Amino acid sequence: MSQIASNTTLGTPAKIFYKYEGVSPAGSHKPNTAIPQAWYNAQAGVRRLTTETGAGQWGTSLAFAGQLFGLDVQVFQVRVSYDQKPYRRAVMETYGARCIASPSTETAYGRRILAERPDHPGSLGIAISEAVEIAAQRDDTKYALGSVLNHVLLHQTIIGLEAMEQMQMADTWPDVVVACTGGGSNFAGIAFPFIGHGLRGGPKPRIVAVEPAACPSLTRGKYAYDYGDTARLTPLTKMHTLGSTFTPPGFHAGGLRYHGMAPLVSHVKELGLMEAVAYTQVDCFAAGVQFARAEGIVPAPEANHAVKGAIEEALRCKREGKAETILFNLSGHGHFDMAAYQAYFAGQLKDEAYDERELAQALSGLPAVGA
Ligand SMILES: *Cc1c(COP(=O)(O)O)cnc(C)c1O
């Protein structure tokens, strides 16, 4: 964990601390859950894991974890990211995984999608359907999910538990905890231990989730039962959702392009124990560049959302003249996302709004279930 010289960079009386998860082999927080998931599967006699990956960080982490315990790993990578990020695929293959662009011809569902639209760019929901379809066909194969589910959030709480000890070592405690949200795992990872501590009588920091304006499940979604994937193979979960058919416009924080939100995070939001804000990707990249120049770490595009959230809190402290302590999770580095930074510097990064009609349609297609 590190503290930023925020008074010189931002002219704020606030102190900013960040927990850095980019030092893991895969470059993000995801090995925190990939390794225990691979270990438990190996213990249970499983031979092969299937999964999806958007930006590539989860696929990389599971490829690495599978290799540690002798499991075959098969990764369905969303087509746009497969094409845009060849180095992510190369890392997965280096760790010994097989990487397939999704939609693919290897599953019935992928073939159906391709028949309708041969140039389909793919989505996380479709890639999940493909990975689940393969796992459902074979006894020795299981599907592993990198976010959203309760056990994933549990594994990730190591982030917050470590941060609590480190805050104590620094003889301070956060007034605000900030993290970005895709499926909600790094957010819950840093925030839930602080929320729990507050519910047990400890101090109650404000908890702020930052999501992309182009895929705003917490700020614009409905709290309802929905499927986790596009083919409707998964069990229904109650969560904030944009509808399982919602395809967000292409933006660079690929790890945040998921239609739903972790049920536990959704529940905590409904209980009023946290807040959520949405920012556009250009504003988040500006924040990430400012951070890189101050701290020397180039954040992942996903993590730029947390940086943006922390900067906004620091500027609020400046306006209000408050010397608050801000803690945020820097969920990963952006070394495989330099093309996105190049696009940003070339002024080519666009903020595409999602299609309101498509959102309305996706929400009207939510499954009808009793309360
Ligand atoms: C996957 C990923 C995210 C988003 O996933 P969550 O489950 O919401 O944490 C955020 N940051 C990085 C670096 C990621 O790899």
Side-chain angles (χ1 to χ4, degrees):
M1 197 168 64
S2 307
Q3 184 184 353
I4 302 181
S6 45
N7 46 353
T8 48
T9 312
L10 299 169
T12 174
K15 279 194 237 161
I16 308 179
F17 291 83
Y18 58 95
K19 178 82 165 72
Y20 185 39
E21 290 292 312
V23 287
S24 80
S28 76
H29 63 290
K30 294 211 168 68
N32 293 338
T33 184
I35 292 167
Q37 287 195 48
W39 186 83
Y40 283 117
N41 275 288
Q43 293 297 304
V46 170
R47 304 294 308 277
R48 191 162 66 145
L49 293 174
T50 63
T51 197
E52 78 296 332
T53 199
Q57 284 118 330
W58 171 241
T60 305
S61 302
L62 197 70
F64 160 62
Q67 186 56 37
L68 291 179
F69 304 110
L71 297 169
D72 281 346
V73 176
Q74 198 169 314
V75 182
F76 288 89
Q77 184 171 12
V78 176
R79 165 59 77 181
V80 274
S81 124
Y82 183 93
D83 291 340
Q84 277 172 3
K85 297 184 171 186
Y87 296 133
R88 268 288 169 200
R89 188 175 125 212
V91 180
M92 289 185 250
E93 289 171 353
T94 302
Y95 286 138
R98 201 172 144 242
C99 190
I100 306 137
S102 165
S104 79
T105 54
E106 302 206 4
T107 65
Y109 187 64
R111 289 190 291 273
R112 206 170 92 207
I113 298 276
L114 288 174
E116 285 163 16
R117 186 175 163 191
D119 66 342
H120 200 294
S123 72
L124 271 181
I126 293 170
I128 295 174
S129 297
E130 291 205 274
V132 170
E133 185 181 319
I134 298 281
Q137 286 163 357
R138 291 176 54 142
D139 281 347
D140 66 350
T141 303
K142 295 276 186 260
Y143 166 71
L145 188 61
S147 185
V148 178
L149 301 179
N150 297 354
H151 61 280
V152 179
L153 273 52
L154 174 78
H155 296 152
Q156 291 295 354
T157 53
I158 187 68
I159 302 172
L161 294 173
E162 284 177 352
M164 286 169 109
E165 291 198 14
Q166 290 168 314
M167 294 307 284
Q168 260 165 353
M169 284 163 70
D171 203 18
T172 183
W173 203 255
D175 298 296
V176 193
V177 178
V178 181
C180 67
T181 45
S185 75
N186 89 89
F187 168 80
I190 194 160
F192 280 14
F194 284 97
I195 295 175
H197 186 65
L199 290 173
R200 289 188 298 272
K204 290 186 164 63
R206 276 177 55 234
I207 307 287
V208 181
V210 185
E211 61 181 10
C215 193
S217 54
L218 276 170
T219 52
R220 289 294 316 278
K222 244 190 205 170
Y223 188 46
Y225 280 96
D226 196 10
Y227 295 94
D229 69 323
T230 311
R232 305 185 152 204
L233 296 174
T234 65
L236 286 170
T237 30
K238 194 167 184 191
M239 59 182 177
H240 288 90
T241 179
L242 298 165
S244 63
T245 58
F246 179 77
T247 309
F251 61 94
H252 278 284
L256 306 182
R257 295 180 81 240
Y258 185 60
H259 69 271
M261 181 49 58
L264 284 175
V265 173
S266 295
H267 183 61
V268 162
K269 174 80 166 40
E270 286 303 296
L271 292 177
L273 298 172
M274 60 174 280
E275 306 159 32
V277 287
Y279 294 117
T280 56
Q281 72 169 345
V282 173
D283 289 348
C284 292
F285 267 85
V289 169
Q290 194 176 8
F291 179 84
R293 290 177 185 177
E295 287 296 299
I297 298 171
V298 180
E302 293 85 355
N304 282 344
H305 290 71
V307 174
K308 171 71 177 164
I311 290 178
E312 286 303 315
E313 289 296 331
L315 294 177
R316 175 189 56 75
C317 289
K318 182 176 172 178
R319 285 192 303 275
E320 296 174 356
K322 285 187 182 157
E324 291 183 15
T325 298
I326 299 165
L327 168 66
F328 76 92
N329 193 38
L330 190 67
S331 52
H333 67 63
H335 297 176
F336 292 99
D337 302 283
M338 296 321 295
Y341 277 89
Q342 281 180 317
Y344 171 74
F345 290 123
Q348 288 161 355
L349 219 58
K350 295 278 179 295
D351 279 321
E352 262 183 81
Y354 55 83
D355 184 341
E356 288 282 354
R357 269 188 328 208
E358 195 203 317
L359 175 60
Q361 199 180 5
L363 286 175
S364 69
L366 287 177
V369 283

